[in-house]
Amino acid sequence: MITVNAMGDNCPIPVIKTKKAMQEITGPETIEVLVDNEIAVQNVTKMAVSSGGNVTSEKLGEKEFKVTIQMNGAVAREAGEEAVCTPDRKGDTIVVIASDKMGSGNDELGKVLIKGFIFAVTQLEELPKAMIFYNGGATLTAEGSDSLEDLKSLEAQGVEILTCGTCLNYYGLTDKLEVGSVTNMYTIVEKMAEAGKIIQP
């Protein structure tokens, strides 16, 4: 495990430090990068993915984020994005998820599809501004969900993760929320009304 401490560093320093650590490895290795802002998470993630890394990220606290990069081996020195500062990747889109399944027909297939959908959101060039979960969708942000890693990664990159409090209570999950924050119907309506675009799988 290699730890890169880029807390307090302005862009492009976190990217440069991470790239240097990646170029020094000779075999499979895990690199943890600590940064203090969402834009740094986005920039480090983009560079690491372009270099062949498997990347996850997590918000540890206020102005405290961890990016975990799994590398399979040495990286070519010319590989990867240049150490540049790109603007915030978030757009004006909101993703609304109302079920723990995607589509109708076979429930097991529906659960596989919704997991794939959430992963696909993490790969968008322009991330959504927020993701809202209600009714059966509320289970996806709670303990036991297969999508927690992807949702935590999105949250670390500045995507607001909101789950209906009434729904969590209905499913007995009030104390089991694992990512994001609890919201109410007024906020849900407000966010949707202000959105430039709404995606609902």
PDB file of all heavy atoms in Angstrom, residues 1-28:
ATOM      1  N   MET A   1       0.834  -1.197   0.000  1.00  0.00           N
ATOM      2  CA  MET A   1       0.000   0.000   0.000  1.00  0.00           C
ATOM      3  C   MET A   1       0.873   1.253   0.000  1.00  0.00           C
ATOM      4  O   MET A   1       1.770   1.389   0.834  1.00  0.00           O
ATOM      5  CB  MET A   1      -0.915  -0.012   1.235  1.00  0.00           C
ATOM      6  CG  MET A   1      -1.681   1.274   1.476  1.00  0.00           C
ATOM      7  SD  MET A   1      -3.144   1.427   0.468  1.00  0.00           S
ATOM      8  CE  MET A   1      -4.227   0.251   1.274  1.00  0.00           C
ATOM      9  N   ILE A   2       0.621   2.137  -0.938  1.00  0.00           N
ATOM     10  CA  ILE A   2       1.316   3.418  -1.007  1.00  0.00           C
ATOM     11  C   ILE A   2       0.309   4.516  -0.676  1.00  0.00           C
ATOM     12  O   ILE A   2      -0.788   4.544  -1.234  1.00  0.00           O
ATOM     13  CB  ILE A   2       1.897   3.660  -2.415  1.00  0.00           C
ATOM     14  CG1 ILE A   2       2.926   2.585  -2.758  1.00  0.00           C
ATOM     15  CG2 ILE A   2       2.517   5.055  -2.514  1.00  0.00           C
ATOM     16  CD1 ILE A   2       3.389   2.624  -4.196  1.00  0.00           C
ATOM     17  N   THR A   3       0.665   5.404   0.245  1.00  0.00           N
ATOM     18  CA  THR A   3      -0.217   6.511   0.597  1.00  0.00           C
ATOM     19  C   THR A   3       0.364   7.815   0.068  1.00  0.00           C
ATOM     20  O   THR A   3       1.532   8.125   0.294  1.00  0.00           O
ATOM     21  CB  THR A   3      -0.405   6.617   2.125  1.00  0.00           C
ATOM     22  OG1 THR A   3      -1.004   5.402   2.594  1.00  0.00           O
ATOM     23  CG2 THR A   3      -1.315   7.784   2.477  1.00  0.00           C
ATOM     24  N   VAL A   4      -0.458   8.559  -0.657  1.00  0.00           N
ATOM     25  CA  VAL A   4      -0.077   9.878  -1.175  1.00  0.00           C
ATOM     26  C   VAL A   4      -0.881  10.924  -0.422  1.00  0.00           C
ATOM     27  O   VAL A   4      -2.105  10.962  -0.512  1.00  0.00           O
ATOM     28  CB  VAL A   4      -0.358   9.984  -2.692  1.00  0.00           C
ATOM     29  CG1 VAL A   4      -0.056  11.396  -3.187  1.00  0.00           C
ATOM     30  CG2 VAL A   4       0.447   8.946  -3.467  1.00  0.00           C
ATOM     31  N   ASN A   5      -0.206  11.750   0.362  1.00  0.00           N
ATOM     32  CA  ASN A   5      -0.886  12.791   1.125  1.00  0.00           C
ATOM     33  C   ASN A   5      -0.858  14.088   0.331  1.00  0.00           C
ATOM     34  O   ASN A   5       0.168  14.746   0.217  1.00  0.00           O
ATOM     35  CB  ASN A   5      -0.227  12.989   2.494  1.00  0.00           C
ATOM     36  CG  ASN A   5      -1.041  13.917   3.390  1.00  0.00           C
ATOM     37  OD1 ASN A   5      -1.927  14.638   2.917  1.00  0.00           O
ATOM     38  ND2 ASN A   5      -0.746  13.908   4.669  1.00  0.00           N
ATOM     39  N   ALA A   6      -2.029  14.442  -0.231  1.00  0.00           N
ATOM     40  CA  ALA A   6      -2.135  15.679  -1.007  1.00  0.00           C
ATOM     41  C   ALA A   6      -3.119  16.638  -0.343  1.00  0.00           C
ATOM     42  O   ALA A   6      -3.693  17.500  -0.997  1.00  0.00           O
ATOM     43  CB  ALA A   6      -2.560  15.363  -2.438  1.00  0.00           C
ATOM     44  N   MET A   7      -3.309  16.472   0.966  1.00  0.00           N
ATOM     45  CA  MET A   7      -4.185  17.370   1.719  1.00  0.00           C
ATOM     46  C   MET A   7      -3.607  18.787   1.675  1.00  0.00           C
ATOM     47  O   MET A   7      -2.423  18.999   1.933  1.00  0.00           O
ATOM     48  CB  MET A   7      -4.312  16.900   3.172  1.00  0.00           C
ATOM     49  CG  MET A   7      -4.967  15.546   3.331  1.00  0.00           C
ATOM     50  SD  MET A   7      -6.748  15.556   2.989  1.00  0.00           S
ATOM     51  CE  MET A   7      -7.375  16.389   4.449  1.00  0.00           C
ATOM     52  N   GLY A   8      -4.434  19.760   1.334  1.00  0.00           N
ATOM     53  CA  GLY A   8      -3.981  21.146   1.300  1.00  0.00           C
ATOM     54  C   GLY A   8      -3.278  21.536   0.016  1.00  0.00           C
ATOM     55  O   GLY A   8      -2.930  22.704  -0.171  1.00  0.00           O
ATOM     56  N   ASP A   9      -3.070  20.568  -0.879  1.00  0.00           N
ATOM     57  CA  ASP A   9      -2.387  20.864  -2.143  1.00  0.00           C
ATOM     58  C   ASP A   9      -3.380  21.355  -3.195  1.00  0.00           C
ATOM     59  O   ASP A   9      -4.457  20.782  -3.364  1.00  0.00           O
ATOM     60  CB  ASP A   9      -1.682  19.619  -2.684  1.00  0.00           C
ATOM     61  CG  ASP A   9      -0.499  19.202  -1.823  1.00  0.00           C
ATOM     62  OD1 ASP A   9       0.041  20.073  -1.117  1.00  0.00           O
ATOM     63  OD2 ASP A   9      -0.132  18.012  -1.853  1.00  0.00           O
ATOM     64  N   ASN A  10      -3.004  22.400  -3.902  1.00  0.00           N
ATOM     65  CA  ASN A  10      -3.833  22.907  -4.986  1.00  0.00           C
ATOM     66  C   ASN A  10      -3.529  22.147  -6.266  1.00  0.00           C
ATOM     67  O   ASN A  10      -2.428  21.636  -6.458  1.00  0.00           O
ATOM     68  CB  ASN A  10      -3.570  24.399  -5.204  1.00  0.00           C
ATOM     69  CG  ASN A  10      -4.041  25.239  -4.025  1.00  0.00           C
ATOM     70  OD1 ASN A  10      -5.073  24.964  -3.436  1.00  0.00           O
ATOM     71  ND2 ASN A  10      -3.272  26.255  -3.681  1.00  0.00           N
ATOM     72  N   CYS A  11      -4.529  22.079  -7.141  1.00  0.00           N
ATOM     73  CA  CYS A  11      -4.355  21.454  -8.446  1.00  0.00           C
ATOM     74  C   CYS A  11      -3.269  22.202  -9.215  1.00  0.00           C
ATOM     75  O   CYS A  11      -3.206  23.427  -9.130  1.00  0.00           O
ATOM     76  CB  CYS A  11      -5.679  21.497  -9.203  1.00  0.00           C
ATOM     77  SG  CYS A  11      -5.665  20.596 -10.752  1.00  0.00           S
ATOM     78  N   PRO A  12      -2.360  21.506  -9.928  1.00  0.00           N
ATOM     79  CA  PRO A  12      -2.403  20.070 -10.245  1.00  0.00           C
ATOM     80  C   PRO A  12      -1.532  19.204  -9.326  1.00  0.00           C
ATOM     81  O   PRO A  12      -1.218  18.074  -9.704  1.00  0.00           O
ATOM     82  CB  PRO A  12      -1.852  20.045 -11.666  1.00  0.00           C
ATOM     83  CG  PRO A  12      -0.801  21.131 -11.651  1.00  0.00           C
ATOM     84  CD  PRO A  12      -1.332  22.202 -10.731  1.00  0.00           C
ATOM     85  N   ILE A  13      -1.124  19.692  -8.164  1.00  0.00           N
ATOM     86  CA  ILE A  13      -0.201  18.946  -7.303  1.00  0.00           C
ATOM     87  C   ILE A  13      -0.718  17.550  -6.941  1.00  0.00           C
ATOM     88  O   ILE A  13       0.039  16.573  -7.027  1.00  0.00           O
ATOM     89  CB  ILE A  13       0.142  19.743  -6.026  1.00  0.00           C
ATOM     90  CG1 ILE A  13       0.727  21.120  -6.392  1.00  0.00           C
ATOM     91  CG2 ILE A  13       1.124  18.972  -5.156  1.00  0.00           C
ATOM     92  CD1 ILE A  13       1.970  21.061  -7.255  1.00  0.00           C
ATOM     93  N   PRO A  14      -2.006  17.373  -6.538  1.00  0.00           N
ATOM     94  CA  PRO A  14      -2.466  16.007  -6.221  1.00  0.00           C
ATOM     95  C   PRO A  14      -2.307  15.033  -7.392  1.00  0.00           C
ATOM     96  O   PRO A  14      -1.930  13.869  -7.202  1.00  0.00           O
ATOM     97  CB  PRO A  14      -3.947  16.206  -5.867  1.00  0.00           C
ATOM     98  CG  PRO A  14      -4.016  17.620  -5.373  1.00  0.00           C
ATOM     99  CD  PRO A  14      -3.059  18.367  -6.248  1.00  0.00           C
ATOM    100  N   VAL A  15      -2.576  15.526  -8.603  1.00  0.00           N
ATOM    101  CA  VAL A  15      -2.441  14.671  -9.791  1.00  0.00           C
ATOM    102  C   VAL A  15      -0.970  14.334 -10.037  1.00  0.00           C
ATOM    103  O   VAL A  15      -0.621  13.181 -10.330  1.00  0.00           O
ATOM    104  CB  VAL A  15      -3.051  15.368 -11.033  1.00  0.00           C
ATOM    105  CG1 VAL A  15      -2.815  14.523 -12.285  1.00  0.00           C
ATOM    106  CG2 VAL A  15      -4.545  15.587 -10.834  1.00  0.00           C
ATOM    107  N   ILE A  16      -0.099  15.331  -9.898  1.00  0.00           N
ATOM    108  CA  ILE A  16       1.340  15.113 -10.121  1.00  0.00           C
ATOM    109  C   ILE A  16       1.892  14.113  -9.100  1.00  0.00           C
ATOM    110  O   ILE A  16       2.631  13.182  -9.450  1.00  0.00           O
ATOM    111  CB  ILE A  16       2.109  16.447 -10.032  1.00  0.00           C
ATOM    112  CG1 ILE A  16       1.725  17.348 -11.221  1.00  0.00           C
ATOM    113  CG2 ILE A  16       3.616  16.204 -10.021  1.00  0.00           C
ATOM    114  CD1 ILE A  16       2.257  18.761 -11.126  1.00  0.00           C
ATOM    115  N   LYS A  17       1.539  14.280  -7.822  1.00  0.00           N
ATOM    116  CA  LYS A  17       2.006  13.364  -6.775  1.00  0.00           C
ATOM    117  C   LYS A  17       1.521  11.940  -7.034  1.00  0.00           C
ATOM    118  O   LYS A  17       2.275  10.968  -6.873  1.00  0.00           O
ATOM    119  CB  LYS A  17       1.502  13.833  -5.400  1.00  0.00           C
ATOM    120  CG  LYS A  17       2.255  15.016  -4.807  1.00  0.00           C
ATOM    121  CD  LYS A  17       1.728  15.302  -3.409  1.00  0.00           C
ATOM    122  CE  LYS A  17       2.549  16.371  -2.694  1.00  0.00           C
ATOM    123  NZ  LYS A  17       2.024  16.637  -1.330  1.00  0.00           N
ATOM    124  N   THR A  18       0.256  11.813  -7.444  1.00  0.00           N
ATOM    125  CA  THR A  18      -0.316  10.486  -7.699  1.00  0.00           C
ATOM    126  C   THR A  18       0.359   9.831  -8.898  1.00  0.00           C
ATOM    127  O   THR A  18       0.705   8.642  -8.869  1.00  0.00           O
ATOM    128  CB  THR A  18      -1.833  10.589  -7.948  1.00  0.00           C
ATOM    129  OG1 THR A  18      -2.453  11.253  -6.850  1.00  0.00           O
ATOM    130  CG2 THR A  18      -2.449   9.210  -8.116  1.00  0.00           C
ATOM    131  N   LYS A  19       0.560  10.615  -9.946  1.00  0.00           N
ATOM    132  CA  LYS A  19       1.191  10.078 -11.156  1.00  0.00           C
ATOM    133  C   LYS A  19       2.605   9.596 -10.852  1.00  0.00           C
ATOM    134  O   LYS A  19       3.033   8.536 -11.328  1.00  0.00           O
ATOM    135  CB  LYS A  19       1.209  11.155 -12.241  1.00  0.00           C
ATOM    136  CG  LYS A  19       1.515  10.623 -13.630  1.00  0.00           C
ATOM    137  CD  LYS A  19       1.226  11.673 -14.677  1.00  0.00           C
ATOM    138  CE  LYS A  19       1.371  11.081 -16.073  1.00  0.00           C
ATOM    139  NZ  LYS A  19       1.049  12.056 -17.117  1.00  0.00           N
ATOM    140  N   LYS A  20       3.334  10.355 -10.027  1.00  0.00           N
ATOM    141  CA  LYS A  20       4.696   9.964  -9.658  1.00  0.00           C
ATOM    142  C   LYS A  20       4.690   8.635  -8.902  1.00  0.00           C
ATOM    143  O   LYS A  20       5.505   7.738  -9.162  1.00  0.00           O
ATOM    144  CB  LYS A  20       5.326  11.052  -8.800  1.00  0.00           C
ATOM    145  CG  LYS A  20       6.782  10.776  -8.439  1.00  0.00           C
ATOM    146  CD  LYS A  20       7.381  11.907  -7.608  1.00  0.00           C
ATOM    147  CE  LYS A  20       8.818  11.601  -7.237  1.00  0.00           C
ATOM    148  NZ  LYS A  20       9.408  12.648  -6.361  1.00  0.00           N
ATOM    149  N   ALA A  21       3.724   8.484  -7.962  1.00  0.00           N
ATOM    150  CA  ALA A  21       3.613   7.232  -7.199  1.00  0.00           C
ATOM    151  C   ALA A  21       3.283   6.066  -8.119  1.00  0.00           C
ATOM    152  O   ALA A  21       3.822   4.958  -7.972  1.00  0.00           O
ATOM    153  CB  ALA A  21       2.552   7.375  -6.114  1.00  0.00           C
ATOM    154  N   MET A  22       2.412   6.305  -9.102  1.00  0.00           N
ATOM    155  CA  MET A  22       2.026   5.247 -10.037  1.00  0.00           C
ATOM    156  C   MET A  22       3.205   4.814 -10.896  1.00  0.00           C
ATOM    157  O   MET A  22       3.351   3.635 -11.225  1.00  0.00           O
ATOM    158  CB  MET A  22       0.871   5.741 -10.924  1.00  0.00           C
ATOM    159  CG  MET A  22      -0.448   5.893 -10.182  1.00  0.00           C
ATOM    160  SD  MET A  22      -1.712   6.769 -11.136  1.00  0.00           S
ATOM    161  CE  MET A  22      -1.982   5.624 -12.463  1.00  0.00           C
ATOM    162  N   GLN A  23       4.060   5.755 -11.260  1.00  0.00           N
ATOM    163  CA  GLN A  23       5.192   5.439 -12.133  1.00  0.00           C
ATOM    164  C   GLN A  23       6.321   4.718 -11.398  1.00  0.00           C
ATOM    165  O   GLN A  23       7.195   4.129 -12.024  1.00  0.00           O
ATOM    166  CB  GLN A  23       5.716   6.730 -12.778  1.00  0.00           C
ATOM    167  CG  GLN A  23       4.759   7.293 -13.819  1.00  0.00           C
ATOM    168  CD  GLN A  23       5.165   8.668 -14.324  1.00  0.00           C
ATOM    169  OE1 GLN A  23       5.930   9.379 -13.676  1.00  0.00           O
ATOM    170  NE2 GLN A  23       4.636   9.049 -15.468  1.00  0.00           N
ATOM    171  N   GLU A  24       6.279   4.755 -10.070  1.00  0.00           N
ATOM    172  CA  GLU A  24       7.332   4.109  -9.285  1.00  0.00           C
ATOM    173  C   GLU A  24       7.036   2.644  -8.959  1.00  0.00           C
ATOM    174  O   GLU A  24       7.917   1.919  -8.525  1.00  0.00           O
ATOM    175  CB  GLU A  24       7.570   4.893  -7.986  1.00  0.00           C
ATOM    176  CG  GLU A  24       8.257   6.234  -8.222  1.00  0.00           C
ATOM    177  CD  GLU A  24       8.389   7.056  -6.955  1.00  0.00           C
ATOM    178  OE1 GLU A  24       7.817   6.648  -5.914  1.00  0.00           O
ATOM    179  OE2 GLU A  24       9.043   8.111  -7.007  1.00  0.00           O
ATOM    180  N   ILE A  25       5.790   2.216  -9.161  1.00  0.00           N
ATOM    181  CA  ILE A  25       5.453   0.830  -8.831  1.00  0.00           C
ATOM    182  C   ILE A  25       5.974  -0.120  -9.916  1.00  0.00           C
ATOM    183  O   ILE A  25       6.084   0.253 -11.080  1.00  0.00           O
ATOM    184  CB  ILE A  25       3.935   0.637  -8.618  1.00  0.00           C
ATOM    185  CG1 ILE A  25       3.157   0.868  -9.915  1.00  0.00           C
ATOM    186  CG2 ILE A  25       3.419   1.555  -7.520  1.00  0.00           C
ATOM    187  CD1 ILE A  25       1.680   0.561  -9.789  1.00  0.00           C
ATOM    188  N   THR A  26       6.271  -1.335  -9.505  1.00  0.00           N
ATOM    189  CA  THR A  26       6.816  -2.324 -10.444  1.00  0.00           C
ATOM    190  C   THR A  26       5.903  -3.537 -10.622  1.00  0.00           C
ATOM    191  O   THR A  26       6.125  -4.363 -11.502  1.00  0.00           O
ATOM    192  CB  THR A  26       8.190  -2.810  -9.950  1.00  0.00           C
ATOM    193  OG1 THR A  26       8.049  -3.331  -8.622  1.00  0.00           O
ATOM    194  CG2 THR A  26       9.197  -1.664  -9.947  1.00  0.00           C
ATOM    195  N   GLY A  27       4.881  -3.634  -9.785  1.00  0.00           N
ATOM    196  CA  GLY A  27       3.952  -4.757  -9.879  1.00  0.00           C
ATOM    197  C   GLY A  27       2.596  -4.341  -9.358  1.00  0.00           C
ATOM    198  O   GLY A  27       2.339  -3.155  -9.165  1.00  0.00           O
ATOM    199  N   PRO A  28       1.710  -5.294  -9.122  1.00  0.00           N
ATOM    200  CA  PRO A  28       0.392  -4.958  -8.585  1.00  0.00           C
ATOM    201  C   PRO A  28       0.521  -4.169  -7.279  1.00  0.00           C
ATOM    202  O   PRO A  28       1.306  -4.542  -6.406  1.00  0.00           O
ATOM    203  CB  PRO A  28      -0.263  -6.322  -8.356  1.00  0.00           C
ATOM    204  CG  PRO A  28       0.441  -7.228  -9.326  1.00  0.00           C
ATOM    205  CD  PRO A  28       1.855  -6.739  -9.389  1.00  0.00           C
TER     206      PRO A  28
END
